[in-house]
Amino acid sequence: MTVRSPNRRIAIYYDYLEAQAFYSSERFGLTTVPFFYQGHKTSSQLSPDFHGQQPALTSVNATFTREKEEGSFYVDVNLYTKIRLKVWNFKIHGLKLDIRCNVKIPAPGRKNATTTKFVYSVVHVNWDGFVCVHGLLVFGE
């Protein structure tokens, strides 16, 4: 996962970043990313690691079987952050971002799979009450 700061005047301090993964509305992964600073016009690569550690419920098993046959799994990834912005010499404290992504993951071992890309279908960003919706993002290969 890549986070980018496209602005040439604003740098970002990520004081806290928590990533949660959900499958069929059941959380199966939670991880935090250590504090980091992102300078002007830079990108940072993040690698949250999720593991299914809970036994699957009956309703989840049915969804898993259906999506495995279809060739893709749908996972929701939510990011919760506390950031500071540095604008020139000023720092703005106490900002929170909630980011919600729907991710389409190809099923492993699928013989007729046509792609190995992960697709973020919708990205919602809630920044202290302001909501931005972004379109299709594709990564991987």
Side-chain angles (χ1 to χ4, degrees):
M1 171 176 16
T2 303
V3 292
R4 177 161 166 68
S5 175
N7 197 298
R8 64 187 172 120
R9 294 187 179 132
I10 298 175
I12 304 171
Y13 292 89
Y14 288 87
D15 293 327
Y16 179 78
L17 194 147
E18 175 183 284
Q20 296 182 10
F22 294 85
Y23 181 72
S24 191
S25 299
E26 297 291 329
R27 186 176 81 187
F28 69 88
L30 170 74
T31 187
T32 58
V33 176
F35 162 87
F36 67 97
Y37 171 79
Q38 186 174 37
H40 310 284
K41 295 193 107 177
T42 60
S43 296
S44 300
Q45 186 68 33
L46 306 177
S47 300
D49 192 13
F50 301 114
H51 298 280
Q53 299 173 356
Q54 300 173 352
L57 303 172
T58 306
S59 61
V60 175
N61 283 335
T63 304
F64 179 83
T65 303
R66 179 179 44 81
E67 290 182 354
K68 185 176 180 181
E69 290 174 3
E70 292 173 357
S72 297
F73 297 107
Y74 296 89
V75 175
D76 295 322
V77 177
N78 299 340
L79 303 172
Y80 303 99
T81 67
K82 291 181 184 177
I83 63 171
R84 289 177 285 154
L85 298 180
K86 181 180 176 186
V87 183
W88 294 315
N89 291 328
F90 302 102
K91 291 184 183 168
I92 302 168
H93 297 268
L95 300 173
K96 295 180 183 178
L97 291 174
D98 294 338
I99 303 163
R100 302 184 188 285
C101 307
N102 303 351
V103 183
K104 181 179 176 183
I105 302 171
R110 185 90 172 151
K111 292 181 182 177
N112 60 353
T114 58
T115 181
T116 58
K117 293 183 179 182
F118 294 83
V119 178
Y120 282 96
S121 58
V122 179
V123 178
H124 296 271
V125 179
N126 183 350
W127 183 339
D128 288 336
F130 297 99
V131 177
C132 306
V133 178
H134 300 278
L136 184 67
L137 299 170
V138 180
F139 71 95
E141 263 277 83

